[in-house]
Short mmCIF file of all heavy atoms in Angstrom, two decimals:
data_model
loop_
_atom_site.label_atom_id
_atom_site.label_comp_id
_atom_site.label_asym_id
_atom_site.label_seq_id
_atom_site.Cartn_x
_atom_site.Cartn_y
_atom_site.Cartn_z
N LYS A 288 11.67 -39.45 -90.88
CA LYS A 288 12.19 -39.90 -92.17
C LYS A 288 13.46 -39.13 -92.51
O LYS A 288 13.49 -37.91 -92.38
CB LYS A 288 11.16 -39.73 -93.30
CG LYS A 288 11.54 -40.47 -94.61
CD LYS A 288 10.41 -40.45 -95.54
CE LYS A 288 10.72 -41.18 -96.78
NZ LYS A 288 10.85 -42.63 -96.51
N GLY A 289 14.50 -39.86 -92.89
CA GLY A 289 15.79 -39.20 -93.25
C GLY A 289 16.72 -39.03 -92.02
O GLY A 289 17.91 -38.85 -92.17
N ARG A 290 16.17 -39.14 -90.80
CA ARG A 290 16.98 -39.04 -89.55
C ARG A 290 16.88 -40.27 -88.72
O ARG A 290 17.96 -40.76 -88.27
CB ARG A 290 16.58 -37.82 -88.77
CG ARG A 290 16.76 -36.43 -89.51
CD ARG A 290 16.64 -35.28 -88.60
NE ARG A 290 15.34 -35.24 -87.87
CZ ARG A 290 14.25 -34.77 -88.41
NH1 ARG A 290 14.25 -34.22 -89.65
NH2 ARG A 290 13.09 -34.72 -87.75
N ASN A 291 15.72 -40.87 -88.57
CA ASN A 291 15.56 -42.04 -87.79
C ASN A 291 14.48 -42.84 -88.58
O ASN A 291 13.36 -42.44 -88.55
CB ASN A 291 15.11 -41.80 -86.35
CG ASN A 291 15.10 -43.10 -85.61
OD1 ASN A 291 15.96 -44.01 -85.76
ND2 ASN A 291 14.15 -43.23 -84.74
N GLU A 292 14.90 -43.82 -89.29
CA GLU A 292 14.02 -44.52 -90.22
C GLU A 292 13.11 -45.52 -89.55
O GLU A 292 12.42 -46.28 -90.22
CB GLU A 292 14.86 -45.23 -91.33
CG GLU A 292 15.76 -44.33 -92.08
CD GLU A 292 15.00 -43.33 -93.03
OE1 GLU A 292 13.71 -43.54 -93.12
OE2 GLU A 292 15.66 -42.56 -93.63
N GLY A 293 13.05 -45.51 -88.25
CA GLY A 293 12.13 -46.42 -87.52
C GLY A 293 11.85 -45.75 -86.12
O GLY A 293 11.95 -44.56 -85.96
N ILE A 294 11.55 -46.61 -85.21
CA ILE A 294 11.34 -46.12 -83.84
C ILE A 294 12.20 -46.94 -82.86
O ILE A 294 12.61 -48.07 -83.14
CB ILE A 294 9.81 -46.34 -83.40
CG1 ILE A 294 9.37 -47.76 -83.58
CG2 ILE A 294 8.96 -45.37 -84.16
CD1 ILE A 294 7.98 -48.03 -83.03
N ASP A 295 12.64 -46.27 -81.70
CA ASP A 295 13.36 -46.93 -80.71
C ASP A 295 12.41 -47.26 -79.56
O ASP A 295 11.85 -46.28 -79.01
CB ASP A 295 14.55 -46.16 -80.25
CG ASP A 295 15.55 -45.99 -81.42
OD1 ASP A 295 15.54 -46.75 -82.32
OD2 ASP A 295 16.35 -45.03 -81.39
N ILE A 296 12.18 -48.45 -79.19
CA ILE A 296 11.33 -48.84 -78.04
C ILE A 296 12.17 -49.26 -76.91
O ILE A 296 12.97 -50.21 -76.95
CB ILE A 296 10.43 -50.04 -78.57
CG1 ILE A 296 9.69 -49.71 -79.85
CG2 ILE A 296 9.37 -50.38 -77.38
CD1 ILE A 296 8.86 -50.90 -80.43
N GLY A 297 12.00 -48.53 -75.80
CA GLY A 297 12.77 -48.88 -74.57
C GLY A 297 12.30 -50.19 -73.99
O GLY A 297 11.16 -50.47 -73.85
N ALA A 298 13.31 -51.09 -73.74
CA ALA A 298 12.99 -52.40 -73.21
C ALA A 298 14.30 -52.88 -72.46
O ALA A 298 15.42 -52.63 -72.91
CB ALA A 298 12.64 -53.40 -74.26
N PRO A 299 14.10 -53.60 -71.33
CA PRO A 299 15.24 -54.13 -70.60
C PRO A 299 16.11 -55.10 -71.47
O PRO A 299 15.55 -55.81 -72.32
CB PRO A 299 14.62 -54.81 -69.42
CG PRO A 299 13.35 -54.26 -69.32
CD PRO A 299 12.83 -53.91 -70.69
N ALA A 300 17.39 -55.06 -71.23
CA ALA A 300 18.25 -56.05 -71.92
C ALA A 300 17.82 -57.49 -71.64
O ALA A 300 17.41 -57.80 -70.55
CB ALA A 300 19.71 -55.91 -71.49
N GLY A 301 17.78 -58.33 -72.64
CA GLY A 301 17.32 -59.69 -72.51
C GLY A 301 15.87 -59.90 -72.78
O GLY A 301 15.36 -61.10 -72.91
N THR A 302 15.11 -58.82 -73.06
CA THR A 302 13.68 -58.97 -73.41
C THR A 302 13.50 -59.65 -74.75
O THR A 302 14.23 -59.39 -75.68
CB THR A 302 13.02 -57.53 -73.50
OG1 THR A 302 13.17 -56.88 -72.29
CG2 THR A 302 11.57 -57.65 -73.92
N ALA A 303 12.58 -60.59 -74.76
CA ALA A 303 12.33 -61.35 -75.96
C ALA A 303 11.81 -60.41 -77.01
O ALA A 303 10.92 -59.59 -76.82
CB ALA A 303 11.36 -62.52 -75.76
N VAL A 304 12.35 -60.55 -78.29
CA VAL A 304 11.86 -59.78 -79.41
C VAL A 304 10.98 -60.66 -80.28
O VAL A 304 11.37 -61.74 -80.74
CB VAL A 304 12.99 -59.25 -80.26
CG1 VAL A 304 12.53 -58.55 -81.51
CG2 VAL A 304 13.92 -58.32 -79.45
N ARG A 305 9.77 -60.24 -80.56
CA ARG A 305 8.80 -61.07 -81.33
C ARG A 305 8.71 -60.59 -82.78
O ARG A 305 8.81 -59.40 -83.08
CB ARG A 305 7.41 -60.93 -80.69
CG ARG A 305 7.35 -61.33 -79.28
CD ARG A 305 5.93 -61.26 -78.73
NE ARG A 305 5.42 -59.85 -78.76
CZ ARG A 305 4.14 -59.49 -78.53
NH1 ARG A 305 3.20 -60.47 -78.33
NH2 ARG A 305 3.77 -58.29 -78.63
N ALA A 306 8.50 -61.55 -83.66
CA ALA A 306 8.25 -61.19 -85.07
C ALA A 306 6.91 -60.49 -85.17
O ALA A 306 5.88 -60.93 -84.62
CB ALA A 306 8.19 -62.46 -85.91
N ALA A 307 6.87 -59.32 -85.81
CA ALA A 307 5.68 -58.49 -85.86
C ALA A 307 4.55 -59.20 -86.68
O ALA A 307 3.36 -58.87 -86.47
CB ALA A 307 6.05 -57.16 -86.44
N ASP A 308 4.97 -60.10 -87.60
CA ASP A 308 3.96 -60.85 -88.38
C ASP A 308 4.64 -62.08 -88.93
O ASP A 308 5.88 -62.15 -88.91
CB ASP A 308 3.35 -59.93 -89.44
CG ASP A 308 2.03 -60.51 -89.98
OD1 ASP A 308 1.52 -61.46 -89.38
OD2 ASP A 308 1.56 -59.97 -91.04
N ALA A 309 3.89 -62.98 -89.52
CA ALA A 309 4.42 -64.13 -90.22
C ALA A 309 5.22 -63.69 -91.46
O ALA A 309 4.88 -62.67 -92.06
CB ALA A 309 3.33 -65.07 -90.58
N GLY A 310 6.25 -64.39 -91.75
CA GLY A 310 7.11 -64.00 -92.88
C GLY A 310 8.28 -64.90 -93.02
O GLY A 310 8.35 -66.02 -92.41
N THR A 311 9.27 -64.46 -93.74
CA THR A 311 10.48 -65.21 -94.01
C THR A 311 11.67 -64.31 -93.68
O THR A 311 11.72 -63.07 -94.03
CB THR A 311 10.59 -65.61 -95.48
OG1 THR A 311 9.42 -66.39 -95.84
CG2 THR A 311 11.83 -66.43 -95.80
N VAL A 312 12.67 -64.89 -92.97
CA VAL A 312 13.89 -64.12 -92.70
C VAL A 312 14.68 -63.82 -94.00
O VAL A 312 15.12 -64.77 -94.63
CB VAL A 312 14.75 -64.95 -91.68
CG1 VAL A 312 16.05 -64.17 -91.37
CG2 VAL A 312 13.99 -65.11 -90.38
N ALA A 313 14.72 -62.58 -94.30
CA ALA A 313 15.41 -62.23 -95.54
C ALA A 313 16.88 -61.95 -95.36
O ALA A 313 17.65 -62.14 -96.33
CB ALA A 313 14.67 -61.01 -96.16
N ALA A 314 17.32 -61.53 -94.18
CA ALA A 314 18.68 -61.21 -93.96
C ALA A 314 19.02 -61.22 -92.50
O ALA A 314 18.18 -60.86 -91.65
CB ALA A 314 19.06 -59.88 -94.53
N VAL A 315 20.21 -61.73 -92.13
CA VAL A 315 20.76 -61.68 -90.84
C VAL A 315 22.17 -61.16 -91.01
O VAL A 315 22.98 -61.83 -91.64
CB VAL A 315 20.78 -62.99 -90.07
CG1 VAL A 315 21.47 -62.82 -88.69
CG2 VAL A 315 19.33 -63.54 -89.90
N THR A 316 22.50 -59.96 -90.49
CA THR A 316 23.75 -59.36 -90.77
C THR A 316 24.18 -58.60 -89.47
O THR A 316 23.53 -58.71 -88.47
CB THR A 316 23.84 -58.48 -92.06
OG1 THR A 316 25.12 -58.05 -92.26
CG2 THR A 316 22.81 -57.34 -91.90
#
């Protein structure tokens, strides 16, 4: 907290990213 507000998960480029749960897209920027 205060330095890295999340986690970085190593994954090859092009790996599909899945929605962690059902929801609504609030922002794309």
Side-chain angles (χ1 to χ4, degrees):
K288 193 172 184 67
R290 297 192 303 276
N291 187 38
E292 302 291 353
I294 57 175
D295 295 341
I296 306 173
T302 299
V304 176
R305 302 182 298 170
D308 197 10
T311 303
V312 177
V315 175
T316 184

